[in-house]
Amino acid sequence: MGRSPCCSKQGLNRGAWTALEDKILTSYIKAHGEGKWRSLPKRAGLKRCGKSCRLRWLNYLRPDIKRGNISGDEEELIVRLHNLLGNRWSLIAGRLPGRTDNEIKNYWNTTLGKKAKGEPTSTGSSKETSPPPTKSRAKRREIESKTTKPSAAAAAATRPPVIRTKATRLTKVLVPTIPQIPSDDYNQTANASSSTKPSELQAHQTQLTDQQVNVGDCTNNLNNNYGCTDEDDDIEAKGGFCNAFQSLPLDEAMINATWTGGNDCDLEDYGATLDLDSLAFLLDSEGWPSQENIS
DNA sequence: AAAAAATTCAACCGCCTAAGG
DNA sequence: ACCTTAGGCGGTTGAATTTTT
């Protein structure tokens, strides 16, 4: 691909992974767990760069990866999240169980981004001049996803660009925990019907909406809102509500869901506690802070 | 049927931050 | 305080595949 390798890769395999390599990597990680990527290839007997192993595992081999077409609901959610977060694919992927940042990024670049710009789904300068094929895959996928609501993409096109600050690496597994709301109140709301938003959560959303939320630095704002400070290293111990994910308006189901990014991630667990229906509020523009408030 | 064009997506890259020495 | 290492992220590339001509 034209660039010099990032690390010494003499004698290392590159390019597409073979089935055997996949098997070796999968077996090794199942036996020893993730992590120590630099030394993993040597220990596993793979002639691959550690980064390559990590990427292969995270984007393809993980058992909880959901493969296949992105549904209309997922598409809507991606558009919404992109409006809010910009190109922070990892954060967006964190809201779509089983989807990887790479997959979402690819989907955006090939489909949604062009939709949002009102461009035909084509690439390249020479390609821009020609009209889109009448039955391109993108077109067919559009037709297939019958639940697609074009209004969101159109709305995205009219919104001003998202203001972003530098992305911050998330070094801890993000487990959105129950926010620090009075337990009685929370218990009540948790028992409420699914169509009713818990009052505290509604208040939380309102607070976010009313506040001048700088999306790129929302962590700090949220930390302040929920009593966490920069000095609070032990956020999880506080049951805190203190990361960028948690700055998003959450509904009850999402908060109750066990979100993990680690080895214990099990899609069936998600299915038990969270499905796309639980994210439906994201499709409701009323539930989102306005752009003016974000910037 | 074959060639060209369009499209997808896995894989790579450089850069950044955090952690540890 | 500085340096090194490891892990993670978003941007980009190009081979493979699909569709169109």
Side-chain angles (χ1 to χ4, degrees):
Chain A
M1 296 178 198
R3 297 183 196 166
S4 58
C6 64
C7 52
S8 61
K9 290 176 181 170
Q10 291 178 345
L12 299 183
N13 292 341
R14 299 189 63 195
W17 280 64
T18 65
L20 179 60
E21 286 177 313
D22 282 348
K23 194 172 181 180
I24 291 171
L25 180 59
T26 304
S27 302
Y28 184 88
I29 291 176
K30 277 183 179 171
H32 300 94
E34 294 180 47
K36 312 260 184 189
W37 295 109
R38 295 263 172 164
S39 58
L40 185 150
K42 199 171 184 179
R43 286 182 281 129
L46 282 166
K47 289 185 175 181
R48 289 277 180 177
C49 166
K51 270 191 172 185
S52 183
C53 292
R54 174 183 165 272
L55 209 62
R56 183 64 176 172
W57 172 254
L58 293 178
N59 287 341
Y60 199 84
L61 297 176
R62 271 190 308 165
D64 54 306
I65 294 286
K66 187 199 290 183
R67 309 204 71 79
N69 286 348
I70 289 179
S71 69
D73 284 346
E74 285 177 306
E75 186 177 306
E76 280 290 331
L77 184 54
I78 291 168
V79 170
R80 290 275 180 200
L81 290 169
H82 188 269
N83 284 341
L84 188 67
L85 299 168
N87 294 356
R88 297 164 81 170
W89 308 115
S90 183
L91 288 177
I92 294 171
R95 286 284 174 216
L96 287 148
R99 300 294 185 186
T100 69
D101 54 354
N102 208 31
E103 185 178 15
I104 291 168
K105 180 171 60 180
N106 282 333
Y107 189 67
W108 180 269
N109 287 336
T110 59
T111 307
L112 296 180
K114 289 160 193 166
K115 258 193 210 176
K117 287 180 193 170
E119 291 178 9
T121 45
S122 61
T123 58
S125 55
S126 64
K127 302 164 188 173
E128 284 173 8
T129 57
S130 57
T134 52
K135 286 185 182 176
S136 68
R137 270 185 288 176
K139 190 75 181 178
R140 281 188 290 111
R141 180 148 58 189
E142 231 177 286
I143 294 167
E144 282 165 10
S145 68
K146 295 166 186 172
T147 53
T148 298
K149 298 161 190 168
S151 58
T158 62
R159 294 192 184 186
V162 173
I163 296 172
R164 293 176 50 194
T165 61
K166 190 172 293 185
T168 304
R169 180 163 67 119
L170 302 172
T171 57
K172 292 182 179 179
V173 172
L174 296 173
V175 184
T177 50
I178 296 168
Q180 294 175 323
I181 58 180
S183 58
D184 288 343
D185 187 84
Y186 183 80
N187 289 337
Q188 284 174 3
T189 57
N191 292 329
S193 69
S194 59
S195 62
T196 306
K197 284 182 184 172
S199 58
E200 187 65 26
L201 295 177
Q202 280 185 322
H204 169 57
Q205 291 187 14
T206 305
Q207 188 176 13
L208 284 173
T209 304
D210 292 344
Q211 205 176 31
Q212 291 297 312
V213 178
N214 181 337
V215 173
D217 198 23
C218 55
T219 305
N220 288 340
N221 285 334
L222 266 290
N223 287 354
N224 293 336
N225 287 346
Y226 286 88
C228 302
T229 67
D230 290 340
E231 292 75 45
D232 286 330
D233 290 327
D234 195 5
I235 285 167
E236 286 177 42
K238 289 188 71 171
F241 201 64
C242 307
N243 61 46
F245 280 0
Q246 293 160 333
S247 70
L248 296 174
L250 302 174
D251 74 355
E252 177 187 354
M254 292 172 75
I255 289 167
N256 286 335
T258 305
W259 290 78
T260 67
N263 303 346
D264 299 328
C265 194
D266 187 339
L267 195 55
E268 290 187 7
D269 289 344
Y270 291 137
T273 55
L274 174 75
D275 58 22
L276 285 171
D277 290 342
S278 73
L279 306 177
F281 78 97
L282 288 167
L283 308 182
D284 174 13
S285 60
E286 299 296 320
W288 284 78
S290 66
Q291 189 69 34
E292 306 84 68
N293 288 331
I294 291 171
S295 59

